[in-house]
Amino acid sequence: MQGWKEKYTSYIKKQQPGPPKAPETEVLGHSLADNLEHLQALLGSNGDFVARDFLLFGKYEAVMIFFSSLVNQEQIQEHILKPLMARPDDHQGVPENLDGIIHYVWKIAVQVTQGNSERKLSCLPPAIVKGNLVLLIDGVPEALLLDMRQIDLRSVDQPQTEQVIRGPREGYVEKLENNLALLRYRLQSTDLRVEISPLGSRTRSRVALCYLDSIADPQLVAEAMRRISIIDTDGIIDAGYIEQFIEDQPLSPFPQVQNTERPDKTVAALLEGRVAILVDGSPFALIIPALFNQFFQTVDDYTERFIMGSLIRIIRLIALASSLFFPALYVSVISFNPELMPTDFAVAISGGRAGVPFPAVLEVLIMEVSMEVLREATIRLPQMIGGALSIVGVLVIGQAAVAAGLASPITVVIVALTTIGSFATPAYNAAIALRMLRFPLILLAGMFGLYGVMIGTILIINHLLFLDSFGVPYMSPFIPGKWRDWKDALVRVPLWWMRRRPSFLHVRDSARLPRAVPDVYEDQILQQGGEAGERYPSDHDAANGRRNR
Amino acid sequence: MNATRQITTLRTAAVIGSTIIGVGILSFPRYMAATGGSSAPFVAFSGIVISIACFWLLASLCRRFPRESLFVFSRRLIGKPLSFVFAVLILLIFVLLTGLTARQFGDVATTVLFKKTPIEATVFLMLLICQLSSRRDVIKFTYIHFFYLPLIIGPILFITLISMRNMDLLNLQPVLVMPSAAFWRGAVEASFLFQSSFIIVLLVPFMQKPKQAVRAGVLAIAVAGIIYLLIVVAAIGLFGSEETKLLIYPTLESARSAAVGEGFLERLDAIFIVLWVISVFTTLYSTYYLAACLLQQVFAFRDQRISSTLILPFTFVMAAFPANVFETYTWSLALGAASMILLSVYLFLLWSMYLIRRPRKRGAA
């Protein structure tokens, strides 16, 4: 947190100058034994703590301190221990006294890419815990820190929660460096700023805040830093912890921070002017601000051609709406307004419901709750059993419930449609929010019929309209919004038509395509259709031609 | 991010439009037929003209004080005590209006569609969501209206136009009758429906271009007026003026007669009622919000959270008061007349004081 506070204040200072901060002391002593004792007192007793003493160049007493679980011991042996323990006659230029020894070791002896020297005793324990090796020499009030960190983690893998048909297959892993590398690999821009600092008084998890300096709104970046800086907790285990500390409205069922496992999605968000937060140890990046709009968009919408992308997006929206309203509408129509159905259908339904002893509300509630239980169980179980269970659940339980007279066949159909609809929502947390909201809606429908559903809907919509995510209204670009932002809302227009970044993000530079492009060729596309090839090889070539001119 | 002047002209128009279109659309053709006979559309048209004139008086005064709401600058114009009295009176009117509108809504809802639901529950739920939504600031208030407006206008237009297919033009003739006392009474009654355009006084201080307040309001009243006109034309054209007088909710009957395809969408009236709930909500929300803001200014509360809660029991009691549907309508007509007189007196006072004081102001500047 201290680091974040400093970053936050320094960021603010860039805009408006203020007073600098005073550093703290407690320096290393000359005696090796004393220093070692102090260090051990600070670190406590640990099984993987190693203090290896040896004679530096056969002359000076020295100790290497590190955690064996965090470092690459082979490399230590090869690139540090071996040159340092060499006989003095192998080293021509070894200083006679101790004054330049640290300098000599760093410049000539060890073969390590990252490291620094440190005089403050209090700085050593955090560095050791991070995976550094500390070299202490008797009689020298200075320590050499060498980065030997190596932690074996799983390799870059296909993201589990966000599958795509067409698009990159890489997902984040747990290690922050790898994730940042994935980001930098996709966004090779000098504009990408990555602010890293530890968070959590005990876990000291490194948190990275990424944004594009020339695009992102400085107010947004400052606000994100401010909210992170006031987090004061002992541990950040996952990005989800940070999400809960920084969101605008914790009591809302709707997520106001987007999380993603996909570097390409993160890069797209950064390019739009959003801010991403990554945490060491978490394979999820947080993206802020997150709007309702984002929760039914996927990577496929953009990688696939625009007509298909738009149609599928609309299908997804229908699925999302049906996962919320379907059971409630069913209950209210069945129990209050059966006259709304076509007569034949109403007869069929009442025939199916003849043996069911419960009112429609109860019947639907029972089925919905058992469906939720099934869903939760399938997630928690090992993958092989999970598949078996879902078959058992869907086929056997549904069939048996109908046969036993617990539910009517149409109820099973409704519940199944609802569940499938909610699985079509790409964002798991948004899908959960909508799935849970359908229970109060069912209850309202059971009590007040269609009127209850209407009241519930108005409440939900009003809540959505009232929400903000980092100062951006949650329902942007619908309400409030500019027409040009609708190009990427319900439908996704061609990429070359989206010439500017979303206006609700208040970006510094809103141009995505060069402004000089003349008004695009919708007219040609509409008029000429497939015959465009006669006059122009393609519309894009025409566009390029005009742009060059 | 934090600009206070955010409300665009279009959004202002949306607020006023969705406020005006409300509970009245169901019974409106009946009033008009009762006072104008076959020239009912013309009565409605005169009513719209009257309300545009009234609105112009109000909004053009407001836009001369773009930084303050009506109740702030009226203190300077007519003095604190008098403006306090007027604020309290207008507050009372809007509390009563909210209660009576909620009651009218409850009557329709229980008689037409939600027969098993007790009217108290219907009314209370509606007032409760108004209360819950009234705790937010004016900017969010406009978001709500802007969002719902297409959902209100679209279905009403669709269903009215469909029902117009079966219209008999003979029912609408003669288009013009000799304007009588009843004719003008009808026109004034029609203008009561547009009284809630008073909501503009809350919006002007937050508008991006306060100069366009009049334009926004006139646009909104014109659009809402066209919809009301269409409804009247459809009802009279379908049933004839004598039959329309007998129907409690003529618009609903004309929606009932509308059908698309063969049995594809048979019961359009049910969909109509369900979507009508939204238009009632936006109307009630506006009057409720206005009442809450007035109470907040009268008692100088910090924000309208407390005042919105305080108003809830009063509106609910008011909604429970009328004994039956006819009493509700008589009372709401009386309330409309009362508020018409009150607002005219208030506006007359403000305008005259403004005109008297203006030259001195110019000299000072």
Side-chain angles (χ1 to χ4, degrees), chain A residues 217 219-220 335-337 339-340 448 450-451 454-455 458-459 461-462 465-468 470 473 479-480, chain B residues 1 11 105 113-114 116-117 122 125-126 129 133 136 140 143-144 146-148 267 270 274 278 281:
Chain A
D217 177 19
Q219 272 186 329
L220 173 68
S335 34
F336 289 90
N337 298 92
E339 77 271 12
L340 289 182
F448 301 104
L450 280 177
Y451 176 61
M454 217 49 229
I455 291 286
I458 290 178
L459 269 180
I461 291 179
N462 284 5
L465 287 168
F466 288 147
L467 266 185
D468 276 333
F470 284 80
I479 308 289
Chain B
M1 253 183 192
R11 227 188 294 159
F105 161 73
L113 195 63
F114 318 119
K116 296 178 191 167
T117 319
T122 318
L125 267 185
M126 185 51 102
I129 57 172
S133 312
R136 306 304 174 119
K140 301 281 182 188
Y143 288 176
I144 297 228
F146 198 50
F147 183 84
Y148 286 121
R267 296 292 306 267
V274 167
I278 299 177
F281 163 69

Side-chain angles (χ1 to χ4, degrees), chain B residues 1-224:
Chain B
M1 253 183 192
N2 42 18
T4 46
R5 289 194 168 270
Q6 295 188 345
I7 304 177
T8 56
T9 312
L10 190 65
R11 227 188 294 159
T12 315
V15 172
I16 298 171
S18 79
T19 304
I20 292 173
I21 303 173
V23 77
I25 50 172
L26 292 187
S27 50
F28 186 62
R30 176 161 51 88
Y31 301 125
M32 296 300 100
T35 52
S38 63
S39 67
F42 198 63
V43 181
F45 180 73
S46 318
I48 294 163
V49 172
I50 292 177
S51 41
I52 287 185
C54 292
F55 181 81
W56 180 80
L57 276 180
L58 176 68
S60 57
L61 184 66
C62 281
R63 72 170 199 180
R64 276 154 223 257
F65 298 91
R67 253 167 271 127
E68 298 157 320
S69 78
L70 176 70
F71 307 101
V72 179
F73 70 75
S74 76
R75 265 179 230 157
R76 279 201 277 119
L77 281 180
I78 57 173
K80 260 191 183 167
L82 202 54
S83 76
F84 182 80
V85 170
F86 271 109
V88 170
L89 284 176
I90 294 174
L91 164 68
L92 273 182
I93 282 196
F94 274 96
V95 169
L96 294 181
L97 184 64
T98 311
L100 281 178
T101 315
R103 172 56 186 258
Q104 286 180 33
F105 161 73
D107 282 334
V108 182
T110 41
T111 48
V112 180
L113 195 63
F114 318 119
K115 298 188 184 78
K116 296 178 191 167
T117 319
I119 184 167
E120 289 82 7
T122 318
V123 169
F124 186 74
L125 267 185
M126 185 51 102
L127 288 174
L128 191 67
I129 57 172
C130 291
Q131 191 267 322
L132 289 175
S133 312
S134 293
R135 298 160 60 88
R136 306 304 174 119
D137 60 13
V138 179
I139 309 291
K140 301 281 182 188
F141 168 80
T142 62
Y143 288 176
I144 297 228
H145 284 282
F146 198 50
F147 183 84
Y148 286 121
L149 186 68
L151 296 179
I152 297 168
I153 289 187
I156 292 179
L157 265 186
F158 179 68
I159 291 173
T160 313
L161 290 178
I162 284 177
S163 67
M164 277 173 128
R165 286 196 311 192
N166 310 328
M167 208 166 65
D168 187 355
L169 282 180
L170 212 61
N171 283 333
L172 287 168
Q173 291 164 357
V175 176
L176 272 179
V177 293
M178 202 55 193
S180 59
F183 180 96
W184 290 116
R185 205 185 70 235
V188 172
E189 276 174 15
S191 76
F192 293 170
L193 283 177
F194 297 84
Q195 270 173 3
S196 36
S197 57
F198 190 72
I199 193 77
I200 187 76
V201 303
L202 280 187
L203 304 181
V204 169
F206 298 96
M207 279 178 72
Q208 271 174 5
K209 296 171 190 150
K211 294 283 168 217
Q212 294 189 347
V214 177
R215 199 179 298 173
V218 169
L219 174 73
I221 294 180
V223 169

